[in-house]
Amino acid sequence: MLFPPCLVWSPLLAAILIAFCLKREHFEGDMDPSDTVVVKLDDANTVTVHLYGATVVSWICDGEEMLFVSTKAVFDNKKAIRGGIPLVFPNFGPWSLGPQHGFARISRFSVREQDTSSPNSARCVFALTHSAKTLEMWPHKFDFLFHVTLSKKSLELKIEVKNTGEEAFDFTTLLHTYFRTEDVRKLSVQGLKDSLYEEREGGEGVATEDRLTVSQFIDRTYKNTANEHVLVGAGASGRRTITMGKNNLPDTVVWNPWQAKAAAMSDFGDEDYPNMLCVEAGYVSKRASLAPGEQFTGSCVMVSD
């Protein structure tokens, strides 16, 4: 890309251009605008949600992209979207009753409510209810609401699950957040120290690092972590600090496929792995239970500086 000589190059300009290019690559060519909802404060602060899975596919804060979406992500309303913030429900991980990570991320949501009346925030609520298809896999009636609230510098996500049936059920749920970074090896995550963790491929331990850094494959579930994590080196520029606060989402999953596993996935670019780290707030190390009429609420607030 060539730039006019009158433009003065700066870190801010670089961040804006990176965010613009990422947005253009994924939204203009591959994604049908009728499949998306844009929550907008102004041109520099937006959130885009794909109705397939109610997947947040972009969070632009002060002109910079905060989330990662693979260069090979598929937007065909058939396959889970590789990147952004997919919703995991009613099961995290392999599932004997249906697809891995459940059916929420491969189901079409509807818009339940929108509110843009405040000059300081904008909100949209997405809904999924039981259907003949979900009942075939999982014989329970439910109402799943996903609240997305955008403010200056912050994005709040809230999950509400209500048991609308006549029998109790249990589930796990998670916000599968793919954070964007310029170089994952320079990104650090605070708030995991002293937590027990399990490796996806076997093994367990206790986190000893004040700041977790990643330089190889990682797929860990940290149990009962601190209610706040701090990511230093986030955003498309790698210069952002994101503070992630959790409520009733006690666990944190950290994942990066690294080179070999990235190359084995058809919807993950071979060279994408240095630009992302999943830091996922969830309720996954034990199952949440709801009696008929009961409701579960869990939330996550991400603030970017």
Side-chain angles (χ1 to χ4, degrees):
M1 183 182 293
L2 299 177
F3 303 98
C6 59
L7 284 180
V8 177
W9 187 256
S10 69
L12 177 60
L13 178 59
I16 293 171
L17 287 168
I18 290 169
F20 172 77
C21 290
L22 180 67
K23 183 178 179 182
R24 181 180 61 183
E25 178 178 358
H26 289 300
F27 298 152
E28 289 189 2
D30 302 326
M31 198 176 301
D32 186 337
S34 66
D35 287 332
T36 63
V37 174
V38 178
V39 182
K40 181 177 180 180
L41 281 181
D42 52 48
D43 290 341
N45 294 277
T46 64
V47 169
T48 303
V49 181
H50 198 293
L51 292 174
Y52 189 68
T55 306
V56 178
V57 291
S58 174
W59 170 30
I60 295 178
C61 180
D62 289 337
E64 183 172 352
E65 182 60 72
M66 299 291 106
L67 300 178
F68 165 87
V69 175
S70 171
T71 55
K72 291 187 176 180
V74 178
F75 305 102
D76 63 356
N77 292 299
K78 297 178 182 178
K79 185 177 180 64
I81 295 169
R82 178 66 70 186
I85 310 178
L87 296 174
V88 172
F89 174 83
N91 191 79
F92 171 71
W95 191 29
S96 61
L97 300 180
Q100 175 164 293
H101 293 330
F103 50 69
R105 65 182 188 148
I106 54 171
S107 297
R108 183 86 173 185
F109 280 66
S110 62
V111 175
R112 179 72 60 89
E113 182 182 343
Q114 286 183 287
D115 183 3
T116 58
S117 60
S118 170
N120 300 315
S121 66
R123 183 172 66 95
C124 193
V125 182
F126 302 87
L128 178 70
T129 58
H130 59 274
S131 65
K133 185 176 180 180
T134 67
L135 290 169
E136 286 179 4
M137 286 183 276
W138 193 60
H140 301 291
K141 296 181 179 180
F142 66 90
D143 193 24
F144 184 107
L145 297 181
F146 182 46
H147 299 249
V148 177
T149 304
L150 176 67
S151 302
K152 284 287 182 75
K153 303 287 188 181
S154 72
L155 176 62
E156 179 179 1
L157 307 172
K158 182 169 68 174
I159 292 170
E160 291 180 350
V161 181
K162 184 174 183 180
N163 183 345
T164 59
E166 299 178 354
E167 297 181 355
F169 62 71
D170 58 39
F171 63 94
T172 49
T173 189
L174 173 132
L175 296 165
H176 199 312
T177 306
Y178 290 71
F179 285 102
R180 173 88 178 184
T181 183
E182 190 270 333
D183 184 347
V184 70
R185 289 158 290 204
K186 299 177 182 178
L187 177 71
S188 66
V189 182
Q190 301 174 33
L192 299 170
K193 187 178 180 180
D194 297 326
S195 298
L196 296 172
Y197 67 80
E198 292 183 355
E199 302 276 7
R200 176 70 177 273
E201 297 187 342
E204 58 185 14
V206 178
T208 59
E209 311 97 330
D210 289 319
R211 296 188 176 196
L212 173 71
T213 56
V214 174
S215 58
Q216 60 184 352
F217 167 75
I218 185 170
D219 192 350
R220 287 180 183 172
T221 298
Y222 292 83
K223 302 178 181 181
N224 297 310
T225 57
N227 286 330
E228 183 176 281
H229 299 312
V230 179
L231 287 74
V232 179
S237 67
R239 297 183 177 92
R240 292 295 188 108
T241 296
I242 296 178
T243 301
M244 187 174 87
K246 307 183 293 150
N247 181 50
N248 202 30
L249 296 174
D251 308 311
T252 305
V253 176
V254 179
W255 178 71
N256 185 298
W258 220 249
Q259 190 171 14
K261 293 184 183 295
M265 291 185 282
S266 63
D267 61 347
F268 200 107
D270 291 355
E271 303 302 323
D272 283 353
Y273 70 92
N275 301 128
M276 57 76 63
L277 184 67
C278 285
V279 182
E280 312 162 26
Y283 199 114
V284 297
S285 63
K286 63 179 181 180
R287 301 185 73 80
S289 298
L290 291 179
E294 287 187 336
Q295 179 172 294
F296 167 93
T297 301
S299 62
C300 177
V301 180
M302 296 172 287
V303 180
S304 176
D305 293 318

